[in-house]
Amino acid sequence: MALSAILASSILAVSATQNRAEAKSYSKAVTKIAGTKNYAIYHRVSKNGPSGKFTSTKYFKHGQIQSKQYVSTKKGNFWNIIVNGREVGWVSQNFFARNKISVAKEVSLIKNSDYGFPTRDAINYVTDGQGTAVDPDKVSVSKTYVSTQPSTVNYSYGKAKASVNISVRDNAESEMGEVTKQPQKGFKTTTTWNGGSKGSSRNWNAAHHYTSETSSNTFSSNGLTLRTRLFQPRFLSLGYGQAGDKMGQVGVIPEGMTVNGNDFVTSLYSSDSDQYGHLALYNLGAIKSKYAAQNLTTMNWSTFKSYANNIKVSPYIKLGHGQSLGSSNNYIYVLANDNKYNNGPKSEEVMQIRKSDMQINKIWTIRVAENRYIHNATFVGDNTMYALFHNGGYDRYEYWKLTRDGDNWKATEIGATNGSFISNSPVQGFAYGNGHFFIGFNDNIFQVAENGAAQKHYRFNTKREIEGLSATNSKLYVQFAQRAELTEGKF
């Protein structure tokens, strides 16, 4: 080789070495929080900066964002982002919300000396200077609980600060209702299996390696036929043990769901004992396939980009048991209750969550009646909540309607049914539609009139837990576990 060629080769090698960027890597992924602006995404980074622009963050800003790696360059830090479990590319750190605490805009409490509102429940997310999510428990708060006195609560973490005004409604007697309805004749009490699912969809098992489903289901009983609408991803994040923080894993346990128009929303937890989790919103108008969403990490790039643009994931927020959901055109509503708490004087939290960015907008605390702690509820529009009360000691179900006027939630009992329906299993879902209530248990759904009169009993044999019901017009939506599957039928 000529001397000039040797020198040129050596110069190129030295230049490449000098230009190679040292990446900071994590053994487990950190959770990143998107900001409001759009940024380019690149294939590569070097010490000089990024190269190979190929897409924009506008398609991915509402997904679950994680990262295991970043590089410091002459143009700032760039992170290799993973969205909904799939590696996407390199993006400027400026894309993330940095040194920020996002909280609910307002909190309105019903005055109750027996319940202190935990002020950290108002947090959507907290980030450090790199836009990495921080455990909400690490945030300093000026008051840990608020009960009977209006307060301004201040939140801080490093350079990040926020505050929320908490008002107190001194009219509990006018909001709370009284038990007045005579129970209607109920159903013959029966039993079902209890505990976790005893079966699964065809491929959701070790023998089939939890692979994707490729054929639909049809479940029929007593005139109601449920058909598969959507098989959901196992995770909307990296899987088991790959997240370095509790905010990172999205799934694998669904607890509740709601459908409004084309918007299907489900609550997701990494443990069935958690009170915090994520909401996932699927735009069914764009996600028409029953099967494709299972394959986010392997589908072709253009399809993934489209799906990512039509799936939104909330931050890690207070959802309680996550079984009591409802929705309007613009908001998701959650009764964030404690399913381990029986009857008592505690207030309950209603979360109003914006569909636009999947963050808590407002929080109310409510009380339905004396000694009536609600475990199941649903919402119709922005101003109406239907609640189901049941306790074995009363041997009846009660149906309550709560109507919102400003910040007040006025409760009225509208019906009741005698009996236990199912003697050995808790309620797994509750819905209201066209003047009917639907109460779901494992493999059983009961339909009753508004006044509590028994109408129909639907009995299935899936051996899979029901994880939420939703009704709209004449359609009933039912979600099954293992694999999470949304079904729909007409009643």
Side-chain angles (χ1 to χ4, degrees), residues 276-302:
Y276 277 66
H278 299 85
L279 295 174
L281 184 155
Y282 296 84
N283 176 5
L284 297 178
I287 300 174
K288 298 184 182 298
S289 169
K290 300 175 184 179
Y291 313 106
Q294 302 170 95
N295 306 312
L296 294 177
T297 60
T298 57
M299 62 176 47
N300 68 59
W301 172 253
S302 62

Side-chain angles (χ1 to χ4, degrees), residues 386 399 401 414-416 432 434-437 448-453 455:
Y386 290 99
Y399 312 97
K401 183 177 182 179
I414 61 173
Y432 173 85
N434 280 5
H436 307 282
F437 292 112
V448 302
E450 279 193 31
N451 68 353
Q455 292 180 322

